[in-house]
Amino acid sequence: MQRSLNNTSIFYNVDWITVLTYLLLILMGWLNIYAAVYNEDHYVITDISQKYGKQLIWIGTSLMLALIILIIDENFYTAFAYFIFGALLLANIAVPFLGREVKGSSSWFRFGDFGIQPAEFMKFAANLALAKFLSNQNIKIADYKNTFISLLIIGIPAIIIMKLQNETGLAIVFAAFIFMLYREGLSVNYLLLGFLAIILFILALMINNLYLFIIIGSLCAIALLFIKRNAKNLFIIAAIGIVACTMVRGTTYVYDHMEDHQKTRIDVLLGRGTVNLKDEGYNVNQAKIAIGSGGFSGKGYLQGTQTKYNFVPEQDTDFIFCTVGEEWGFLGSTLVIILQLFLIIRLVFMAERQRSSFSRIYGYGVASVLFFHLTVNIGMTIGLAPVIGIPLPFFSYGGSSLWSFTILLFIFIKLDSKRLQILR
Amino acid sequence: MNNQLADRKFIIIGVFVLVGLIYISRLFYIQVVDDTYKLDARNQAFRYTTEFPIRGYIYDRNNKLLVYNEAAYDLMVLPKNVKNIDTMDLCGLLGITKEQFLKKMKKAIQAPNSPRKESVFEKQLSPKDYASLQEVLYRFPGFFVQSRTLRKYPKKIAAHMLGYIGEADKRTTEKDSYYREGDYLGISGIEKSYEKVLRGKKGMHIIMKDVNNRDMGSYMNGLYDTAAISGKPLITTIDADLQEYAEQLMQNKIGSVVAIDPSTGEILAIVTSPTYDPNLFVGRARNKNFAELSLDSIGKPLFNRSTMASYPPGSTFKLVMALIGLNEGVLTAQTRYPCARGYPPLGGRPKCHPHGSPMDLEGAIGTSCNSYFSYVFKSVIEDKKYHNTYKAYANWREIATSFCLGTKTGSDLANELRGNVPSIAYYDKVFGQGSWKASTVISLGIGQNELGITPLQNANLVAIIANKGWYYTPHIVKAIDGNPNDTILDKFKVKHYTKIKDTAIYNVVIAGMAKAVEGGTAAALKIEGIPYCAKTGTAQNPHGKDHSVFVCFAPKENPKIAIGILIENAGFGSTYAGPIARLMMEKYLKGEITRPDLEKRMLETDLIHKGKNAAVAEQH
């Protein structure tokens, strides 16, 4: 207390390791964007007619945002958590009606050359709201009612973004908060249920449903042989069996109601049917070729041919990792994954050292969102996850996503810098 | 409770780390272990262009150009990249039908080609077609042009000696990885024997492409590119004027002439007749021309007689018989043998033509007496000092082969026949061991029986006599890349000696040959101011009329040219073979012809189309 009162510097107690990792990542990201869209006519890296020049503007403004966040009193975020959430929710509802439609996407506010995607900012707002709600002394997430409210805070923005803005990728990110909820006491059953759902979804698409039912039935029967046969266990196993079978049926339903491009993305991932590498399989195949051709130590900076010459689509945004893989090879790719994971795990440790549960919950939220982005984004480029259009944190080109990740991260850095103060 | 929940951080971190490890393993697999992506990347982002080196030019001994190159352009296709093209437009530009187009595309896609492999779509576009195509080629992704060089022959001579180039087939590429299918390489002649010198070294350029198949410049600024190294030019030993003249004289005659400079072993002219214009084997009409030439079953213009045909040496071999007889001491210049229109001991076989009898060696050479040399052969094989036929025959054969008979000369002409001097084992097989003797194989003495000699060996034999017992391996290349001391040519600077080294022995035979010109069978073929030596003759031919044979060297002292000539089914040597050799010697030594009448007669003589009867009438 004494120390912090004497030291009014906004940088006091800031976790520099996190800040430096952040800076390192955006620097690497910027260099990769330069490499991905490099052309000899515009070789000046600060040329703002090119994406790498624009990204420099986004980086500069992000650093300003970071500074502003550090200047603002930490109590602002707790006090205005719901307000920010509500305001951004409104903005997200409004954008399809107010924003100009660009390339079939109605999720952008446009200002001349630049655009803002409010859905990106929904992440930190939802995170603030969740932290605010769950940090209430009286709230126990284990209560079904509270679980339900938490799921609403996550679900409403997700549904708005998916249904109104047609941005499935940005909506799916909200599922990331399950890690944070788990840490805050959400029954492990939810996680297992989610895991079971994913497994069954895949199996249901790969195997004849009838066989799957038989397998589920058999597994249940075998389970009954090994545990005490009483009414409770019987009920649980029957419930699991029925839920599992419902999920299998549900899969068909969900799949049938997906849009065609989503179906093909899943088909490509699972290798269902014949994948045409020139058509629906093109993106993923080209991504794998670019990364795979990098070899152990890469082709060297600016020497990539697959990304630079546009074989890989979206190579500066969602598929930026291809440039890393191609030019920096296995060494560089691994370094990027390790750096990202280092940051995420560092955030987990920082969250755990908070006295305030608000700060802790928020910190877990940040880690969860970053992890989800990392997993899905890199996973899709190496064929381990379906193609979902979400950016690689700090790497992908784009102002909204960089701003959003910066805000998300720096609010926590600010909260963390005040961890020694009062309990919120 | 809170502590219990805090433990969940380990599970969460565990999940994070696990995903990280899975991803890193996956990256390790696709980036380090699995090579398919690297190949895919190269295939789609690189175009490997081969820079074909300029094939070495070929000159004659006086630096007259014999072979040079002309640019040609192959239209290549990489079927994988062909998309959205206006087929009819391309067909129009190339002047082909849609069916032909589809056929060519099919060929480019099917094995041994593949959609991922570039192959020739249309061969050897003319520079004009190329120019108009080049401008619009960007409209046809997947198609590109590769420049090649074609051989051109300013003088239409020496087709067999020069040989031709053709495309490497699968067998070649399997044997030598330097070649890719469709590459040009020497198939025959010196194009083949000097292939490695002439071809140079291919260069490779890696061009980067973008997704729209546009060239994006060379990869890594050409770090991995290699430049083509031009082939080295050859200076041959051929005298283009003499070669051309000889070919003209040999027109409409079937046979071969080889002229050698005895002092160096350099081949001055090597003619196979009938011959063909080497330009016929170049360009798109090549296959058609080739087929047409193959159809000529009488002239067999594709058959390289000078090194690939084996004839009975006939009268020429009597010179060798004389040398062996003198060497073995069973014969002297004064030895006389009778002739009764044939060899008396065997009832007049082998037969002979009418002439005075008995005769000494000089006279026998001059008249080419069959009886005389049958006696000589018998005396050599039955020579007492060898105790038995086998030892004497072995000795005879050893000496004969030392004149480069029955063995390849080792020249640098691509394909060479060995010829034949029958072995003891051969006769044992034919007649049974111990069941043959001199009289059984008596006609070996007059150069018949199984004896076989190529025109090149024939000329070399004359050169050996002219040199009095030694020779340099006959060869056709004088200098490589201007360097006469290239190590490849070292083997042509080694003097080979025959088993007969006494020059006095040669002098006897040479005197006989000189006599033939001064007052013998070749008396009508004297050259003013140049005394020379010759031997006319016939070679009996089991398949028809005798071959006309003539060997000679000139001048008598310090010989500069030795010629062996054989004209198939043309009768006695002095009728056609002699005059042609005489004209060649005069042309080479004097540069002008003093016997235009003879020249005219030889140029106009047509032994192919006139038929055999007409030739008989003109016989000596």
Side-chain angles (χ1 to χ4, degrees):
Chain A
M1 279 296 237
Q2 197 59 38
R3 269 163 65 208
S4 67
L5 283 178
N6 288 344
N7 196 328
T8 51
S9 161
I10 56 158
F11 296 121
Y12 177 72
N13 241 349
V14 161
D15 192 81
W16 285 111
I17 294 176
T18 306
V19 174
L20 284 176
T21 313
Y22 162 81
L23 290 173
L24 190 60
L25 286 170
I26 54 173
L27 176 69
M28 285 166 76
W30 182 48
L31 292 175
N32 269 293
I33 291 167
Y34 180 66
V37 295
Y38 175 79
N39 74 58
E40 271 154 20
D41 298 335
H42 300 274
Y43 57 87
V44 180
I45 199 165
T46 51
D47 184 341
I48 64 156
S49 71
Q50 301 296 308
K51 284 193 169 170
Y52 33 87
K54 286 194 183 125
Q55 183 73 358
L56 192 60
I57 295 174
W58 296 125
I59 290 171
T61 47
S62 291
L63 294 179
M64 277 158 59
L65 276 175
L67 200 65
I68 291 166
I69 288 164
L70 292 179
I71 291 168
I72 295 173
D73 190 283
E74 71 277 12
N75 291 316
F76 171 83
Y77 305 110
T78 43
F80 287 90
Y82 288 139
F83 176 77
I84 294 169
F85 179 71
L88 275 164
L89 211 53
L90 280 177
N92 273 289
I93 295 169
V95 71
F97 306 105
L98 299 178
R100 249 184 305 139
E101 195 172 302
V102 176
K103 285 187 211 157
S105 172
S106 50
S107 61
W108 296 82
F109 283 123
R110 287 268 156 201
F111 309 100
D113 241 8
F114 297 93
I116 289 285
Q117 205 174 16
E120 282 284 358
F121 300 94
M122 203 63 235
K123 282 179 272 193
F124 90 88
N127 196 15
L128 279 176
L130 270 176
K132 173 85 174 179
F133 174 68
L134 293 171
S135 60
N136 189 315
Q137 292 289 329
N138 302 319
I139 297 293
K140 288 274 178 299
I141 194 170
D143 295 347
Y144 293 118
K145 196 190 94 190
N146 296 329
T147 306
F148 182 69
I149 293 174
S150 307
L151 290 179
L152 278 186
I153 296 176
I154 298 167
I156 289 172
I159 289 167
I160 287 171
I161 291 168
M162 181 152 18
K163 290 295 167 194
L164 290 182
Q165 304 179 4
N166 212 9
E167 291 282 356
T168 317
L170 292 176
I172 287 175
V173 174
F174 287 84
F177 289 114
I178 193 124
F179 290 109
M180 174 246 265
L181 294 177
Y182 169 69
R183 166 61 182 85
E184 293 309 313
L186 185 72
S187 168
V188 74
N189 292 341
Y190 288 97
L191 251 68
L192 293 177
L193 211 61
F195 189 63
L196 184 68
I198 292 170
I199 299 283
L200 285 175
F201 186 86
I202 294 171
L203 286 176
L205 291 175
M206 303 290 282
I207 305 172
N208 187 317
N209 283 3
L210 186 63
Y211 297 149
L212 213 51
F213 290 140
I214 294 170
I215 292 168
I216 292 168
S218 314
L219 286 174
C220 290
I222 292 166
L224 278 176
L225 291 175
F226 288 96
I227 58 167
K228 217 166 118 193
R229 281 178 291 274
N230 59 28
K232 192 184 159 209
N233 284 349
L234 217 62
F235 174 75
I236 291 172
I237 288 173
I240 293 174
I242 290 166
V243 167
C245 292
T246 315
M247 281 176 174
V248 171
R249 287 308 302 160
T251 297
T252 320
Y253 178 82
V254 171
Y255 182 79
D256 286 345
H257 283 77
M258 278 180 167
E259 291 187 25
D260 284 347
H261 73 276
Q262 291 167 333
K263 283 183 195 170
T264 56
R265 283 173 183 183
I266 288 167
D267 291 347
V268 168
L269 180 70
L270 299 178
R272 293 178 89 216
T274 49
V275 175
N276 184 349
L277 294 180
K278 284 194 174 121
D279 192 7
E280 69 269 11
Y282 182 79
N283 284 22
V284 173
N285 186 48
Q286 288 298 336
K288 281 195 274 187
I289 288 174
I291 294 171
S293 68
F296 185 73
S297 52
K299 296 176 184 170
Y301 188 56
L302 296 183
Q303 300 301 335
T305 50
Q306 307 303 309
T307 47
K308 196 162 57 170
Y309 296 138
N310 304 326
F311 288 98
V312 183
E314 317 260 348
Q315 77 271 37
D316 52 340
T317 55
D318 295 344
F319 282 90
I320 187 73
F321 190 72
C322 297
T323 310
V324 179
E326 190 185 7
E327 298 194 343
W328 298 0
F330 174 69
L331 289 178
S333 317
T334 305
L335 177 73
V336 169
I337 290 179
I338 287 175
L339 264 182
Q340 294 262 14
L341 275 179
F342 171 79
L343 176 67
I344 291 164
I345 291 168
R346 171 105 199 136
L347 290 174
V348 171
F349 280 109
M350 283 163 68
E352 287 292 343
R353 75 187 179 192
Q354 304 303 318
R355 290 182 192 170
S356 140
S357 40
F358 178 87
S359 302
R360 182 187 66 240
I361 296 167
Y362 184 85
Y364 263 100
V366 178
S368 304
V369 169
L370 291 182
F371 174 72
F372 191 87
H373 272 271
L374 178 73
T375 306
V376 172
N377 182 283
I378 295 184
M380 74 183 179
T381 61
I382 57 179
L384 290 181
V387 175
I388 296 172
I390 59 172
L392 181 62
F394 316 115
F395 267 69
S396 292
Y397 169 79
S400 294
S401 68
L402 187 58
W403 279 9
S404 145
F405 287 122
T406 304
I407 294 168
L408 189 70
L409 180 64
F410 273 83
I411 290 177
F412 182 58
I413 290 173
K414 173 70 183 180
L415 294 172
D416 175 68
S417 72
K418 303 294 179 188
R419 65 183 177 274
L420 299 174
Q421 295 181 9
I422 40 138
L423 283 164
R424 270 178 288 273
Chain B
M1 182 64 186
N2 216 17
N3 269 344
Q4 265 181 348
L5 286 179
D7 286 344
R8 287 190 169 185
K9 75 176 178 211
F10 295 115
I11 293 174
I12 292 173
I13 290 171
V15 169
F16 290 178
V17 170
L18 182 68
V19 168
L21 288 177
I22 291 171
Y23 279 20
I24 289 170
S25 318
R26 170 75 172 171
L27 282 167
F28 187 77
Y29 179 74
I30 68 172
Q31 294 190 297
V32 182
V33 179
D34 192 346
D35 276 340
T36 54
Y37 299 112
K38 293 174 192 65
L39 288 173
D40 284 345
R42 262 180 246 159
N43 282 337
Q44 67 179 13
F46 289 161
R47 207 182 75 221
Y48 296 87
T49 57
T50 306
E51 190 195 341
F52 287 97
I54 297 167
R55 201 172 170 85
Y57 285 16
I58 301 175
Y59 299 89
D60 90 332
R61 64 187 296 114
N62 300 314
N63 284 319
K64 283 187 185 150
L65 191 58
L66 297 178
V67 187
Y68 68 102
N69 299 319
E70 200 175 76
Y73 304 90
D74 286 352
L75 181 64
M76 310 288 289
V77 66
L78 184 57
K80 190 170 76 86
N81 291 345
V82 177
K83 47 193 154 207
N84 307 326
I85 66 158
D86 184 343
T87 311
M88 290 323 290
D89 192 5
L90 186 63
C91 288
L93 283 163
L94 294 173
I96 58 174
T97 64
K98 191 166 181 205
E99 285 69 41
Q100 285 172 312
F101 175 88
L102 293 174
K103 215 173 124 194
K104 281 168 186 287
M105 274 314 276
K106 206 169 148 195
K107 198 182 147 214
I109 289 165
Q110 286 173 343
N113 297 320
S114 101
R116 284 163 173 264
K117 204 174 112 187
E118 54 194 51
S119 56
V120 178
F121 186 80
E122 182 82 7
K123 247 184 252 176
Q124 297 166 5
L125 302 172
S126 69
K128 200 172 127 260
D129 284 353
Y130 165 69
S132 55
L133 187 64
Q134 177 71 354
E135 284 171 25
V136 293
L137 205 57
Y138 70 92
R139 293 213 303 260
F140 309 106
F143 287 91
F144 58 96
V145 165
Q146 193 158 59
S147 73
R148 305 288 290 263
T149 52
L150 295 182
R151 292 304 235 182
K152 277 284 170 185
Y153 308 87
K155 293 169 179 288
K156 296 164 186 169
I157 58 169
H160 292 101
M161 179 277 279
L162 296 169
Y164 56 92
I165 56 175
E167 286 179 20
D169 57 11
K170 201 163 177 158
R171 270 208 352 255
T172 318
T173 58
E174 276 165 8
K175 223 162 48 189
D176 186 345
S177 61
Y178 174 85
Y179 299 102
R180 295 275 164 273
E181 258 176 81
D183 283 2
Y184 292 137
L185 80 160
I187 302 286
S188 72
I190 58 172
E191 294 278 20
K192 182 183 178 188
S193 52
Y194 285 90
E195 164 68 10
K196 285 205 170 118
V197 174
L198 289 168
R199 77 180 179 197
K201 200 167 180 307
K202 281 189 282 189
M204 178 76 87
H205 294 264
I206 307 173
I207 308 283
M208 293 188 292
K209 296 181 304 183
D210 75 352
V211 69
N212 298 318
N213 204 30
R214 276 186 302 233
D215 281 3
M216 302 305 290
S218 70
Y219 179 58
M220 300 283 276
N221 285 324
L223 187 64
Y224 297 107
D225 293 1
T226 49
I229 299 167
S230 301
K232 295 175 184 166
L234 295 180
I235 295 174
T236 62
T237 59
I238 289 291
D239 182 307
D241 295 338
L242 183 65
Q243 176 80 23
E244 192 171 16
Y245 188 55
E247 286 188 16
Q248 285 165 1
L249 293 171
M250 287 293 284
Q251 251 175 51
N252 296 320
K253 299 155 196 85
I254 298 174
S256 173
V257 191
V258 178
I260 294 177
D261 181 344
S263 62
T264 56
E266 291 171 1
I267 298 170
L268 301 171
I270 182 160
V271 177
T272 288
S273 183
T275 183
Y276 57 90
D277 178 356
N279 289 303
L280 290 178
F281 278 11
V282 177
R284 292 160 85 174
R286 172 202 161 103
N287 287 345
K288 189 179 124 261
N289 293 335
F290 198 97
E292 269 172 24
L293 288 172
S294 330
L295 283 177
D296 183 350
S297 60
I298 298 164
K300 294 195 188 116
L302 297 179
F303 182 43
N304 186 6
R305 293 180 165 80
S306 49
T307 55
M308 290 297 288
S310 177
Y311 298 101
S315 311
T316 317
F317 192 74
K318 291 168 187 164
L319 298 172
V320 180
M321 259 343 290
L323 291 169
I324 296 174
L326 292 165
N327 190 56
E328 295 300 309
V330 296
L331 179 71
T332 66
Q334 288 73 42
T335 309
R336 286 170 174 267
Y337 287 116
C339 176
R341 293 275 195 117
Y343 177 51
L346 291 177
R349 291 207 169 258
K351 284 197 279 189
C352 195
H353 55 94
H355 57 78
S357 170
M359 282 201 295
D360 63 2
L361 180 57
E362 210 168 82
I365 290 173
T367 56
S368 197
C369 176
N370 284 343
S371 171
Y372 192 96
F373 290 100
S374 298
Y375 279 110
V376 176
F377 181 71
K378 187 169 189 292
S379 62
V380 169
I381 300 304
E382 292 178 352
D383 190 352
K384 292 286 181 292
K385 67 175 179 280
Y386 294 108
H387 307 295
N388 67 44
T389 309
Y390 277 56
K391 276 185 184 159
Y393 186 86
N395 177 60
W396 169 84
R397 187 170 186 273
E398 197 185 331
I399 296 174
T401 48
S402 79
F403 284 78
C404 213
L405 303 177
T407 170
K408 290 184 182 182
T409 63
S411 79
D412 47 0
L413 295 157
N415 299 306
E416 218 189 298
L417 224 55
R418 279 209 346 259
N420 190 32
V421 180
S423 65
I424 288 171
Y426 172 79
Y427 282 133
D428 275 351
K429 217 171 115 191
V430 174
F431 300 110
Q433 199 170 352
S435 315
W436 57 278
K437 49 188 183 176
S439 54
T440 323
V441 294
I442 194 74
S443 50
L444 285 177
I446 58 167
Q448 300 291 337
N449 261 19
E450 288 84 358
L451 280 175
I453 187 170
T454 65
L456 177 67
Q457 287 173 327
N458 196 33
N460 190 43
L461 182 60
V462 189
I464 292 171
I465 294 168
N467 287 337
K468 301 176 185 174
W470 58 268
Y471 68 99
Y472 289 115
T473 302
H475 55 279
I476 201 79
V477 170
K478 204 174 159 66
I480 295 171
D481 202 8
N483 177 14
N485 297 317
D486 194 296
T487 50
I488 295 173
L489 305 175
D490 281 354
K491 60 181 173 185
F492 303 128
K493 299 189 172 69
V494 182
K495 244 184 195 180
H496 302 282
Y497 288 92
T498 65
K499 297 275 176 204
I500 300 173
K501 298 194 176 66
D502 185 355
T503 52
I505 291 173
Y506 290 92
N507 286 336
V508 175
V509 172
I510 289 169
M513 290 172 77
K515 188 100 186 277
V517 179
E518 280 153 26
T521 45
L525 301 172
K526 283 196 189 80
I527 303 174
E528 175 87 15
I530 301 175
Y532 72 94
C533 305
K535 166 92 188 67
T536 60
T538 52
Q540 279 169 27
N541 172 21
H543 309 295
K545 198 165 172 307
D546 290 353
H547 299 322
S548 173
V549 178
F550 192 87
V551 297
C552 56
F553 63 86
K556 189 180 172 211
E557 305 299 329
N558 297 319
K560 292 273 177 286
I561 181 168
I563 296 178
I565 173 168
L566 183 145
I567 299 176
E568 290 184 21
N569 315 117
F572 201 65
S574 53
T575 323
Y576 302 111
I580 289 174
R582 183 225 171 269
L583 290 167
M584 283 174 67
M585 282 186 290
E586 189 172 45
K587 173 91 175 168
Y588 182 68
L589 295 173
K590 280 180 155 178
E592 55 175 2
I593 299 300
T594 54
R595 288 283 306 274
D597 60 315
L598 201 60
E599 181 181 58
K600 185 163 177 282
R601 188 153 66 84
M602 286 304 118
L603 289 173
E604 285 171 359
T605 302
D606 183 347
L607 296 182
I608 297 180
H609 306 100
K610 244 162 91 176
K612 290 165 189 171
N613 293 337
V616 172
E618 279 187 44
Q619 201 179 340
H620 181 72

